[in-house]
Amino acid sequence: MKKITWLLAAIITVCAANAQDSTARKLDEMVTAYTKLGRFNGSVLVARKGVILLQKGYGVRNDSTHTNNDENTQYQIASVTKQFTATVVLKLVEQKKMHLDDKLSKYYPGFPYGDSITIWNLLTHTSGMRNFTEEDTGIQKTDEEHMVPYLKTLKPDFAPGKDWHYSNSGYVMLAYIIQKVSGISYFQAVRKYIFNPLHMSSSGFDFTHLTGAEKAVGYDVLNDSVHERAHIADSSVTLGAGSIYSTVEDMYKWHRGLQKYKIVNKSLMEEAYIPCPQHNYGFGWQIDSVFGRKMVSHSGAISGFGSNFARIPADDVCIVVLSNKGGSTFDAMHITDKLLAVLYNQPYTIPVKRTPVQVSEAVLKRYTGTYEVSEMHLVIDVSINDGRLIAQPARDGHPGPTAILVGENDRRFYIEADEEAETEFDVDDAGKVKGLTIYQNGITKYAVKTK
């Protein structure tokens, strides 16, 4: 009996190892496909239950030195920084040095609604504080002495708690509050409370002056013929909103630290994963579900870099996608979705090269008008601009980003910025356009043409 038991255990171990190897190959195959299409350039890490299934670099790290990305490449992670800022705030709350219901005016008097804006509002983007990165006129000097008065001049978007709007201003103010409460700089506080305890030795802030072979060059344009370098964002401007650089390995250390609640106790840390009533956003985390499991994640976009960091805490799943190519954030998010499908044995497709066709303007004009998905309160206005079909979605009256539709044939189009999102116009035998079918992320929706 003992021999049979031993043999059975050995067979199970071999089968598990084979399944793990198969999953790893599929993960690599997916990222490689995006890389070959020019839609990804960076590093990826995928881990499940303490086992790293993929940890690899793809594409160019530095064209001047002819080096390629690997697992040690350092990237700016942009707005993924916000979860670090939020966790330091929670650490100071745990130490009873501040409270989530503290008012902004306690630390910085003079802000519009400052007596009503709480730390909780700043963390969840419900403060109404205007996002300074959306302003046409910037600020020349970005130290605290000049930045705080500038932020006070911005007209609020709404009264605190009445709505949700993403605000880098709120997270810059959280960094300044951290400095006041802790008595050290924001950068020192993140190192003290997170980087040092978790041994994140390849992470830091001042990417501009970072030296070393592992530093990635950020590119605005990167293809076979053009290597256009991006301007590096100043960490003193982005501060608590987007100043951190890191590696996929260090980000995995961050995940492991969060899984084991090494920084903040479990009951308090779990509050970060509760979405606010106005939006699916917690404390520096986007809250969602995937395949019936709760997912916490955040993406980042900054000059020359894009990123996405996703975790499914209940299954100890971690996916890190870091890129040194500008405008890559949406692709990083799509790659994450595909890698999750591989991990959870769900249907997925590997992206292939699209071949656009020229559609006559006479045909395009037939498609212009308004389309509606009533159950989603989604309205899509389709128009022509410079000979190209443009889709402008709006939900509940709030407009979303415009999309350029590229033809595959006279009826089927894909979105230029997201080649895996497709649309197909429904035309009857008489040539009348009845509606528009949308295919995106495995979901199909039909929009009726209303005018």
Side-chain angles (χ1 to χ4, degrees), residues 201-428:
S201 57
S202 295
S203 301
F205 307 94
D206 187 6
F207 197 73
T208 302
H209 298 104
L210 178 67
T211 58
E214 291 78 21
K215 177 183 176 180
V217 171
Y219 296 93
D220 280 335
V221 180
L222 180 63
N223 54 46
D224 292 340
S225 57
V226 180
H227 294 172
E228 182 181 317
R229 296 191 175 204
H231 170 74
I232 298 177
D234 186 346
S235 60
S236 71
V237 180
T238 53
L239 208 61
S243 63
I244 291 176
Y245 66 80
S246 192
T247 65
V248 293
E249 182 179 16
D250 266 14
M251 292 301 295
Y252 182 58
K253 291 178 181 179
W254 170 229
H255 164 76
R256 298 302 299 160
L258 290 168
Q259 283 292 112
K260 297 179 179 180
Y261 302 98
K262 287 186 175 182
I263 308 302
V264 176
N265 69 68
K266 182 175 181 179
S267 61
L268 187 55
M269 193 65 223
E270 291 292 331
E271 291 189 38
Y273 308 144
I274 300 173
C276 65
Q278 297 84 354
H279 197 75
N280 58 333
Y281 198 94
F283 300 166
W285 296 95
Q286 196 83 23
I287 317 301
D288 208 339
S289 62
V290 58
F291 311 127
R293 314 297 276 174
K294 185 174 187 176
M295 180 173 74
V296 296
S297 66
H298 212 292
S299 61
I302 204 166
S303 178
F305 293 88
S307 58
N308 198 48
F309 178 60
R311 303 172 54 234
I312 300 180
D315 295 338
D316 191 9
V317 165
C318 172
I319 296 179
V320 190
V321 182
L322 305 180
S323 171
N324 57 325
K325 182 179 179 182
S328 60
T329 303
F330 284 119
D331 279 327
M333 295 168 71
H334 287 312
I335 290 171
T336 301
D337 291 339
K338 292 296 186 74
L339 296 177
L340 285 167
V342 172
L343 285 179
Y344 284 86
N345 296 311
Q346 297 295 315
Y348 65 87
T349 57
I350 295 175
V352 296
K353 183 175 179 58
R354 298 280 194 176
T355 304
V357 299
Q358 186 70 35
V359 181
S360 71
E361 190 155 346
V363 172
L364 296 181
K365 284 181 178 178
R366 291 165 50 194
Y367 300 142
T368 60
T370 302
Y371 300 76
E372 183 177 356
V373 184
S374 57
E375 71 270 20
M376 296 178 65
H377 306 286
L378 177 66
V379 174
I380 304 169
D381 286 321
V382 177
S383 61
I384 296 176
N385 184 12
D386 196 24
R388 309 189 78 182
L389 210 57
I390 308 295
Q392 170 68 72
R395 178 173 289 179
D396 294 323
H398 298 290
T402 58
I404 298 173
L405 303 183
V406 181
E408 279 196 301
N409 55 47
D410 279 0
R411 293 190 183 183
R412 197 172 183 93
F413 296 73
Y414 62 89
I415 296 176
E416 186 176 61
D418 179 6
E419 294 187 4
E420 291 173 71
E422 298 179 302
T423 60
E424 185 168 14
F425 290 93
D426 181 14
V427 184
D428 65 18

Side-chain angles (χ1 to χ4, degrees), residues 21-241:
D21 289 343
S22 175
T23 300
R25 284 194 298 272
K26 291 176 181 177
L27 295 170
D28 182 41
E29 180 184 29
M30 181 64 68
V31 184
T32 299
Y34 275 90
T35 304
K36 288 181 177 179
L37 291 174
R39 295 177 59 187
F40 182 68
N41 191 88
S43 299
V44 175
L45 182 145
V46 181
R48 179 175 56 193
K49 297 189 183 302
V51 177
I52 296 176
L53 300 171
L54 177 66
Q55 185 176 9
K56 185 177 175 181
Y58 302 82
V60 178
R61 175 197 286 163
N62 186 327
D63 63 308
S64 295
T65 59
H66 305 288
T67 53
N68 293 328
N69 290 317
D70 57 28
E71 65 272 18
N72 299 312
T73 303
Q74 294 168 305
Y75 304 85
Q76 287 190 281
I77 64 172
S79 286
V80 178
T81 296
K82 289 180 174 66
Q83 60 199 240
F84 291 89
T85 302
T87 304
V88 173
V89 168
L90 290 178
K91 185 63 179 180
L92 296 172
V93 169
E94 182 182 67
Q95 294 176 344
K96 303 189 184 305
K97 294 181 178 180
M98 62 187 298
H99 302 88
L100 292 175
D101 58 2
D102 282 349
K103 303 298 190 293
L104 175 59
S105 59
K106 176 180 178 179
Y107 303 100
Y108 289 93
F111 272 88
Y113 295 116
D115 291 335
S116 300
I117 295 173
T118 64
I119 299 298
W120 185 91
N121 290 138
L122 295 173
L123 288 167
T124 57
H125 298 299
T126 58
S127 69
M129 186 176 291
R130 180 69 181 162
N131 184 6
F132 77 95
T133 57
E134 295 177 10
E135 292 295 298
D136 292 333
T137 56
I139 178 173
Q140 300 302 314
K141 296 183 179 180
T142 56
D143 57 359
E144 181 180 349
E145 181 182 356
H146 294 87
M147 193 69 168
V148 172
Y150 167 69
L151 294 178
K152 287 180 181 179
T153 68
L154 302 182
K155 183 181 178 181
D157 292 323
F158 49 82
K162 297 300 183 181
D163 205 343
W164 186 93
H165 187 77
Y166 193 84
S167 176
N168 288 305
S169 303
Y171 270 79
V172 168
M173 288 310 302
L174 285 170
Y176 290 145
I177 292 169
I178 285 170
Q179 293 180 159
K180 281 201 170 187
V181 173
S182 67
I184 54 179
S185 74
Y186 167 76
F187 304 133
Q188 290 171 324
V190 175
R191 287 194 184 281
K192 175 181 178 180
Y193 293 117
I194 299 177
F195 289 174
N196 292 343
L198 299 182
H199 306 290
M200 296 174 63
S201 57
S202 295
S203 301
F205 307 94
D206 187 6
F207 197 73
T208 302
H209 298 104
L210 178 67
T211 58
E214 291 78 21
K215 177 183 176 180
V217 171
Y219 296 93
D220 280 335
V221 180
L222 180 63
N223 54 46
D224 292 340
S225 57
V226 180
H227 294 172
E228 182 181 317
R229 296 191 175 204
H231 170 74
I232 298 177
D234 186 346
S235 60
S236 71
V237 180
T238 53
L239 208 61

